[in-house]
Amino acid sequence: MGTPLEYAPAPESRGVVHLQSSYGLFVDGEFVDPVDGGGFKTLNPADEEVLTEVAEAGPADVERAVAAARKAYVRTWSKLSGRDRGKYLFRIARLIQERSRELAVLETLDNGKPIRESRDVDVPLAAAHFFYHAGWADKLSHAGYGSDPQPLGVAGQVIPWNFPLLMLAWKVAPALATGNTVVLKPAETTPLTALLFAEICQQADLPPGVVNILTGAGATGAALVAHPGVDKVAFTGSTEVGRSIARATAGTSKKVTLELGGKAANIVFDDAPVDEAVEGIVNGIFFNQGHVCCAGSRLLVQESVADDVVTKLQRRIATLRVGDPMDKNTDVGAINSAEQLDRIRAFADVGDDEGARRWTAPGRLPERGYWFPPTVFTGVQQAHRIAREEIFGPVLSVLTFRTPTEAIAKANNTPYGLSAGVWTDKGSRILWAAQRLRAGVVWANTFNRFDPASPFGGYKESGWGREGGRHGLEAYLDV
Ligand code: NAD
């Protein structure tokens, strides 16, 4: 979109995935029909085509899956040495690499994210998480949690739709490495890579019941986290659902980690290299259509350079290609669901009503499917809802500041605290800012960098606990 550059479409082949007309639940090492018999369709958000139908797990299925996970925990998985668990994890990591094209295409079809991102970010990072945790499996006594740290038992895990396979990897890899077994529920709009992952578990000869996958919606997730046979709850999703899970597990002995929403500040100081900062701002908010918990959705730019930064930013955004997610040239794909599109539209209308100025990238959007153009609001005030609430879409709110102290105060003026970005030429200012920002991750002169060795998680309403790195192991150990 934007400047009408001619380009040759370069779609990735759909032929690499073989979708069945329907899928069962993955329990005790095999695909089974749900006890209650329900199912639902999953769509391609780029064209609203029905991809397939998946089973909806009811309470009896949750019962069955938790029992399978318990049996596998007691009989097999907790008895294996760390070295042997590591072998399975290495095998899974290699299978993810081997089947990476299939996984990337499936993720893009089901989620709407550009194939370039699923191919170059989601799938390689998912494999990296399994490799990383495979390495930990036989070294847990060196992790700083005592000489022989023990697993918790059965982990009930619930994940969102924005990075379906990657969030699965963040959950399953540390759980298995530390000796726990798993019942995982993927999000209702993106179940397909989790089902392919179930096949990968079969291919890896993972003992039955170590990983169980239950597709379903919120009710399935609620039944799973409330199940008395679950020892550990790991949730990634909205702060609202996180609260309800905190209520449901209060007073139980379940160990809980919550990875919730965010409203990150991306701070551009007047000495920042502007062109690099513009790239970082674009990556911060338009990567994955802005469906990113740690998205840099609040741009805080120093007043003296604000006009320059915003002008260059808009010029750059106008060159982003919005469209077919399966096209390797696409920068911004489809919004994941009609519901999420409605939510983004409603927030943008609130921005108009609150008096912020809306700028939208020029260009036509596809007619079918769920689309929202890259959008920038300037003149945003701290009290505006578009500065306070998580929009979870390609919408940037721009605020300005005069002094570094004001920048920090504004950045921290949020109920969230997941991530932040700092753009400046001075190393000392990076360190000064990083010490003061109440955010789990602070990126300096870059944004959205992830590594399995680096712990990720939030302050305040962004959640409890950390995932990744040595710190992330603690969530799955009895320490
Ligand atoms: P959501 O909370 O609506 O759903 C997340 C998952 O929870 C889904 O699988 C859903 O079916 C399930 N669920 C819904 N109600 C439930 C209940 N009562 N009990 C148990 N499970 C329930 O969130 P979403 O819209 O899928 O995802 C977007 C949100 O996720 C955003 O707020 C985003 O910031 C957050 N997120 C956070 C991180 C992080 O690491 N902090 C990462 C990705 C996404």
Side-chain angles (χ1 to χ4, degrees):
M1 61 187 297
T3 42
L5 292 171
E6 286 300 322
Y7 80 108
E12 174 62 275
S13 166
R14 271 193 70 150
V16 299
V17 297
H18 309 285
L19 282 170
Q20 302 166 22
S21 58
S22 67
Y23 288 84
L25 306 166
F26 185 65
V27 178
D28 211 9
E30 37 186 280
F31 285 92
V32 296
D33 290 333
V35 176
D36 306 326
F40 60 96
K41 294 180 170 51
T42 184
L43 304 180
N44 178 348
D47 60 10
E48 297 167 63
E49 174 206 359
V50 174
L51 292 169
T52 181
E53 184 164 323
V54 300
E56 174 144 28
D61 301 301
V62 171
E63 194 63 51
R64 198 159 54 144
V66 172
R70 173 66 55 195
K71 190 177 75 185
Y73 176 72
V74 174
R75 295 204 190 155
T76 342
W77 201 244
S78 66
K79 298 228 165 80
L80 283 187
S81 65
R83 191 157 158 266
D84 285 338
R85 288 198 309 271
K87 282 187 200 164
Y88 283 106
L89 288 168
F90 277 121
R91 209 181 279 169
I92 290 171
R94 285 194 299 268
L95 285 166
I96 291 175
Q97 290 184 321
E98 263 173 50
R99 302 187 72 172
S100 59
R101 270 187 83 196
E102 220 178 323
L103 285 163
V105 168
L106 204 54
E107 196 77 305
T108 284
L109 290 175
D110 208 16
N111 172 281
K113 65 174 70 201
I115 185 74
R116 191 160 49 78
E117 291 178 7
S118 41
R119 181 194 65 191
D120 298 348
V121 183
D122 297 57
V123 177
L125 272 176
H129 267 267
F130 278 96
F131 277 119
Y132 174 78
H133 286 95
W136 266 122
D138 63 350
K139 300 174 196 69
L140 294 174
S141 52
H142 304 285
Y145 301 114
S147 59
D148 187 22
Q150 294 300 306
L152 296 165
V154 175
Q157 309 183 318
V158 178
I159 55 172
W161 46 261
N162 57 342
F163 292 95
L165 181 71
L166 184 58
M167 290 299 106
L168 174 150
W170 282 28
K171 297 274 178 283
V172 174
L176 298 196
T178 47
N180 301 276
T181 58
V182 163
V183 181
L184 176 126
K185 191 199 83 67
E188 49 272 47
T189 58
T190 53
L192 297 185
T193 45
L195 293 167
L196 183 52
F197 179 79
E199 272 183 41
I200 288 176
C201 292
Q202 287 180 325
Q203 221 182 327
D205 265 335
L206 191 70
V210 172
V211 168
N212 304 274
I213 310 270
L214 296 181
T215 45
T220 308
L224 176 60
V225 303
H227 195 287
V230 166
D231 304 296
K232 153 79 192 168
V233 172
F235 171 75
T236 297
S238 61
T239 295
E240 189 190 342
V241 174
R243 278 199 195 97
S244 83
I245 291 177
R247 279 193 294 271
T249 51
T252 70
S253 59
K254 290 176 191 176
K255 193 161 172 175
V256 181
T257 38
L258 303 173
E259 298 283 352
L260 310 176
K263 190 75 186 177
N266 205 356
I267 307 173
V268 179
F269 288 102
D270 59 3
D271 62 344
V274 174
D275 293 338
E276 281 87 339
V278 163
E279 289 306 312
I281 297 162
V282 167
N283 173 306
I285 186 63
F286 301 121
F287 171 61
N288 203 33
Q289 297 71 248
H291 301 326
V292 183
C293 49
C294 52
S297 52
R298 277 187 303 151
L299 175 64
L300 295 182
V301 52
Q302 200 151 7
E303 212 173 86
S304 51
V305 294
D307 288 347
D308 187 31
V309 169
V310 170
T311 305
K312 287 187 169 150
L313 181 63
Q314 290 174 344
R315 202 183 299 151
R316 175 69 179 92
I317 296 170
T319 68
L320 295 177
R321 293 189 186 286
V322 183
D324 183 6
M326 289 290 280
D327 190 320
K328 292 166 196 157
N329 300 311
T330 291
D331 299 304
V332 180
I335 300 303
N336 179 250
S337 64
E339 256 180 8
Q340 187 61 20
L341 180 59
D342 287 346
R343 201 179 129 84
I344 297 168
R345 284 183 176 148
F347 265 114
D349 291 345
V350 167
D352 295 335
D353 294 344
E354 286 176 324
R357 283 182 302 282
R358 186 199 297 218
W359 177 88
T360 298
R364 272 219 314 271
L365 297 174
E367 271 157 29
R368 283 179 64 92
Y370 313 131
W371 302 93
F372 197 86
T375 296
V376 177
F377 277 98
T378 51
V380 179
Q381 302 299 319
Q382 291 189 82
H384 288 172
R385 280 184 62 202
I386 57 167
R388 306 194 63 77
E389 296 178 37
E390 185 181 47
I391 301 174
F392 223 58
V395 180
L396 180 69
S397 298
V398 184
L399 297 89
T400 58
F401 66 89
R402 288 190 179 165
T403 65
T405 311
E406 186 189 346
I408 301 296
K410 284 187 168 168
N412 287 339
N413 182 11
T414 166
Y416 295 110
L418 196 54
S419 68
V422 179
W423 297 84
T424 171
D425 199 30
K426 292 188 190 64
S428 56
R429 183 171 280 169
I430 291 172
L431 296 175
W432 178 88
Q435 277 169 351
R436 286 161 179 79
L437 287 165
R438 300 289 291 162
V441 181
V442 179
W443 285 295
N445 294 331
T446 187
F447 211 90
N448 276 339
R449 293 266 172 181
F450 304 99
D451 189 294
S454 173
F456 185 90
Y459 283 84
K460 300 191 276 186
E461 292 189 16
S462 289
W464 300 341
R466 293 292 179 268
E467 288 188 313
R470 186 187 70 80
H471 301 75
L473 299 171
E474 187 195 338
Y476 289 94
L477 291 171
D478 185 12
V479 291

